[in-house]
């Protein structure tokens, strides 16, 4: 084969690399300059380093391809590296689409609100123990019935098809966790209360050894509790973050589901057991009766209240640097008492241009979204609920102190991840 044709084949692959390099650089530069992405400075730095290293590795391999004698070997290498470029393209598109929902008029306002609810729930426990949090979660919306969280070492639900396995493996290693919330939050912003539960998954994963500590604590209650430990920790965390409104969200999502005897490996307990545990968490945390009475069915393996009470106590007794879970949550019981801050804000959310103070506090977003649930439930008329949605969407983005989603991820850690992923990408 003529050498010019072989060079043209390498040039074609190299042009694709350079095109993607220019596109990612342009996207990152534009997002850094856009105030809607100010909370994600750490995320953008991670993506810049990882994409840059991966594309540099592909370019270096293509330079080596020019030195190969023999067209077959050159074409084979270019084809393999082209597949690597497609992985980087898919990875970039996967992340960019989620960030760029903030530029979409349908999603931007409510995501700005969601970001503050997540930031409030995420930073609180790290601040309480004097720790710098890792990169915080990226929130995005999808028209799904349920919310879910993808920790920084899990495979996202929308990348579990066989065709996406390679891309999922790279997302699995990138230190940017994600939270997916239901699309109907664009019409009913109080559903952002689900972010407290989903952020709880990330806190359990990233703050000390809470995953293993939770499993160990619940194993002492009964073996079936171990497989429920992830969801039950997030349930308990959500109660401590947003008060009784956490139970409203779970009750609404579970309504109509049938209680049955647990099966080995179930991630969730029976619906009534889940609500009973959350109610007990609220009671033992000094929040009183959350107003969701639960009748526990009788059946093989279905826990009853004495066991549920022990499980709640075990979770609340979890320690991080000698601080209990309620202590690291920053919970103040008076927020959620009758006549407390959540109740006051709930009434004001039904007003035109409500007067809401103390919005600069770290807790403000999570108390406000809880107030939104109260307001929507106590004022069921469509006009009142529309007003609540509008006020929540407008006010939540103004909550919290200045800052980003988290502290900077150490550059040495990001560099190590970038080099490892680049090596995986170009490996034969």
């Amino acid at each position: 084969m003529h050498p010019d044709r072989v060079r043209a084949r390498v040039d074609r692959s190299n042009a694709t690399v350079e095109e993607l390099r220019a596109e990612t650089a342009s996207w990152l530069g534009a997002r850094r300059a856009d105030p809607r992405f100010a909370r994600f400075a750490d995320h953008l730095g991670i993506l810049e380093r990882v994409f840059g290293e991966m594309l540099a590795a592909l370019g270096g391999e293509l330079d080596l391809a020019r030195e190969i004698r023999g067209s077959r070997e050159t074409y084979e290498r270019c084809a393999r590296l082209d597949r690597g470029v497609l992985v980087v393209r898919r990875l970039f598109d996967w992340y960019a689409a989620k960030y760029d929902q903030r530029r979409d008029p349908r999603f931007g306002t409510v995501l700005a609100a969601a970001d503050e609810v997540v930031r409030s729930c995420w930073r609180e426990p790290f601040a309480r123990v004097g720790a710098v949090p890792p990169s915080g979660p990226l929130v995005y919306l999808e028209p799904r019935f349920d919310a879910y969280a993808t920790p920084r070492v899990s495979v996202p639900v929308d990348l579990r098809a066989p065709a996406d396995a390679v891309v999922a493996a790279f997302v699995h290693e990138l230190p940017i966790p994600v939270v997916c919330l239901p699309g109907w939050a664009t019409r009913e912003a109080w559903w952002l209360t689900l972010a407290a539960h989903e952020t709880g998954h990330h806190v359990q994963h990233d703050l000390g050894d809470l995953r293993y500590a939770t499993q160990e604590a619940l194993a002492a209650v009964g073996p079936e509790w171990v497989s429920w430990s992830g969801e039950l920790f997030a349930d308990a965390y959500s109660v401590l973050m947003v008060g009784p409104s956490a139970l409203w969200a779970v009750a609404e999502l579970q309504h109509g589901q049938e209680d049955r005897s647990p099966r080995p490996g179930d991630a969730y307990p029976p619906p009534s057991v889940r609500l009973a545990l959350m109610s007990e968490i609220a009671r033992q945390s000094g929040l009183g009766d959350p107003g969701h009475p639960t009748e526990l069915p009788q059946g093989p393996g279905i826990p009853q209240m004495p066991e549920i009470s022990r499980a709640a106590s075990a979770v609340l007794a979890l320690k991080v640097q000698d601080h209990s879970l309620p202590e690291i949550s920053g919970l103040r019981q008076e927020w959620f008492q009758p006549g407390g801050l959540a109740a006051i804000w709930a009434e004001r959310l039904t007003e035109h241009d409500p007067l809401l103070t103390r919005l600069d506090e770290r807790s403000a977003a999570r108390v406000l979204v809880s107030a939104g649930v109260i307001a929507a439930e106590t004022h069921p008329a469509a006009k009142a609920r529309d007003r609540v949605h509008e006020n929540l969407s407008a006010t939540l983005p103004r909550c919290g102190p200045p800052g980003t989603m988290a502290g900077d991820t150490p550059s040495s850690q990001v560099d190590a991840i970038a080099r490892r992923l680049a090596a995986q990408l170009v490996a034969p």
Side-chain angles (χ1 to χ4, degrees):
M1 183 177 290
H2 196 281
D4 286 347
R5 184 174 173 184
V6 177
R7 282 195 296 272
R9 176 65 183 89
V10 179
D11 288 344
R12 185 163 67 244
S13 291
N14 192 66
T16 305
V17 171
E18 293 304 317
E19 180 181 280
L20 186 52
R21 193 197 309 270
E23 183 178 347
T24 55
S26 175
W27 184 88
L28 287 163
R31 300 307 171 271
R32 280 201 174 97
D34 189 331
R36 290 172 291 189
F37 299 88
R39 297 295 193 207
F40 299 103
D42 184 49
H43 287 198
L44 298 178
I46 292 169
L47 294 176
E48 180 178 47
R49 188 72 183 92
V50 170
F51 290 142
E53 192 75 23
M54 294 171 88
L55 292 169
L58 289 166
E61 288 291 311
L62 286 168
D63 288 341
L64 294 175
R66 297 182 190 279
E67 302 174 8
I68 297 175
R69 296 181 181 275
S71 59
R72 181 185 300 274
E73 292 82 358
T74 302
Y75 269 61
E76 286 177 352
R77 176 170 290 209
C78 287
R80 176 171 59 81
L81 295 174
D82 286 346
R83 290 191 290 273
V85 175
L86 288 175
V87 170
V88 181
R89 158 65 65 189
R90 179 73 176 95
L91 189 62
F92 169 66
D93 288 346
W94 191 83
Y95 278 105
K98 290 163 178 56
Y99 288 103
D100 283 352
Q101 284 188 346
R102 287 153 183 80
R103 303 175 71 227
D104 188 323
R106 298 172 299 167
F107 306 132
T109 299
V110 76
L111 277 173
D115 287 340
E116 294 312 314
V117 177
V118 168
R119 193 168 73 107
S120 176
C121 296
W122 172 246
R123 294 192 68 101
E124 186 69 51
F126 292 93
R128 291 279 167 178
V129 299
V132 176
S135 53
L138 165 65
V139 189
Y140 67 100
L141 301 175
E142 281 196 11
R144 295 175 182 268
F145 179 74
D146 203 352
Y148 64 81
T150 300
R152 62 195 79 235
V153 294
S154 296
V155 176
V157 170
D158 57 342
L159 287 180
R160 291 183 182 169
D164 284 319
V166 176
V167 178
F170 285 98
V171 172
H172 174 94
E173 295 200 45
L174 272 172
I176 300 177
V178 296
V179 163
C180 177
L181 296 177
W184 61 71
T186 58
R187 302 180 301 276
E188 299 178 350
W190 49 89
W191 276 100
L192 298 179
T193 193
L194 286 170
H197 172 100
E198 304 310 325
T199 305
H201 284 298
H202 297 303
V203 169
Q204 187 190 30
H205 187 274
D206 287 319
L207 186 62
D209 60 351
L210 281 172
R211 283 182 301 164
Y212 306 109
T214 308
Q215 292 171 5
E216 184 178 4
L218 289 175
V221 179
E224 69 277 6
W225 290 88
V226 175
S227 66
W228 304 337
S229 62
E231 295 300 332
L232 295 187
F233 178 93
D235 281 342
Y237 191 79
S238 67
V239 172
L240 298 173
M241 288 287 112
V242 298
S245 295
L247 282 87
W248 167 84
V250 170
E252 187 73 10
L253 290 175
Q254 288 188 156
H255 187 70
Q257 293 183 18
E258 183 180 355
D259 279 308
R260 59 168 175 77
S261 295
R263 298 169 184 165
D266 281 351
Y268 296 90
S272 60
V273 173
R274 188 180 178 191
L275 279 176
L277 179 87
M278 294 177 76
S279 295
E280 188 64 10
I281 291 286
R283 188 189 67 77
Q284 292 188 22
S285 300
L287 298 178
D289 181 3
H292 287 272
T294 302
E295 182 177 345
L296 293 168
Q298 302 294 317
I302 297 180
Q304 300 301 303
M305 276 313 302
E307 188 176 341
I308 291 170
S309 181
R310 292 198 304 274
S313 298
V315 173
L316 290 173
L318 292 170
K319 297 282 188 179
V320 178
Q321 298 181 15
D322 295 324
H323 298 280
S324 69
L325 196 59
E327 288 170 345
I328 67 170
S329 75
L331 172 68
R332 293 176 58 181
Q333 289 87 351
E334 62 266 25
W335 289 338
F336 304 110
Q337 300 293 350
L341 185 60
I344 293 170
W345 281 358
E347 286 304 311
R348 292 181 182 175
L349 283 172
T350 64
E351 302 169 359
H352 176 70
D353 193 19
L355 176 62
L356 300 168
T357 59
R358 300 169 55 184
L359 294 179
D360 60 342
E361 296 179 6
R362 196 165 54 224
S363 58
R366 60 185 189 266
V367 178
L368 184 58
V369 78
S370 176
V373 171
I374 298 169
E377 285 297 285
T378 55
H379 297 83
K383 186 175 180 179
R385 287 163 70 94
D386 288 346
R387 179 67 58 79
V388 172
H389 170 75
E390 292 168 4
N391 285 332
L392 273 180
S393 300
T395 309
L396 279 169
R398 310 201 315 266
C399 288
T404 61
M405 191 62 74
D408 292 336
T409 303
S411 58
S412 58
Q413 179 183 341
V414 177
D415 288 345
I417 292 170
R419 288 192 295 269
R420 185 173 68 251
L421 294 181
Q424 292 176 16
L425 185 69
V426 299

